[in-house]
Amino acid sequence: MANEMKRTIDDISDSVKEGIHRGNAAAEHETRKDFGDDMTTGEKVDSGANEAGEDIKAGVDKTKRGIRDL
């Protein structure tokens, strides 16, 4: 019972973190879409790298949940 409760809490935590990371990735994408013409090439590259990093972090959180539920 205690293990099931811990797993549920960990799943919720990872779900929340995944949502935050996906939101951050979407915000970076929107920033480039809205302000891309005014951004320098370096700013666009940094923004793209930030988006990719947030997508990776979200994927890790999703994978942790999947592994835990096996």
Side-chain angles (χ1 to χ4, degrees):
M1 182 74 145
N3 287 338
E4 186 175 321
M5 185 175 349
K6 181 178 178 349
R7 188 178 74 203
T8 300
I9 291 169
D10 289 344
D11 282 351
I12 291 169
S13 174
D14 287 335
S15 292
V16 169
K17 289 177 187 175
E18 179 186 358
I20 290 169
H21 292 305
R22 294 211 186 277
N24 290 342
E28 286 290 346
H29 184 81
E30 287 298 313
T31 297
R32 283 194 318 281
K33 189 172 91 173
D34 293 342
F35 302 107
D37 293 339
D38 298 327
M39 296 172 80
T40 66
T41 301
E43 289 171 333
K44 289 179 189 178
V45 169
D46 286 345
S47 178
N50 288 340
E51 179 183 358
E54 292 293 337
D55 280 336
I56 289 168
K57 290 175 189 177
V60 167
D61 290 329
K62 182 176 181 179
T63 300
K64 288 191 316 189
R65 277 195 331 273
I67 291 170
R68 195 178 299 121
D69 292 338
L70 289 177

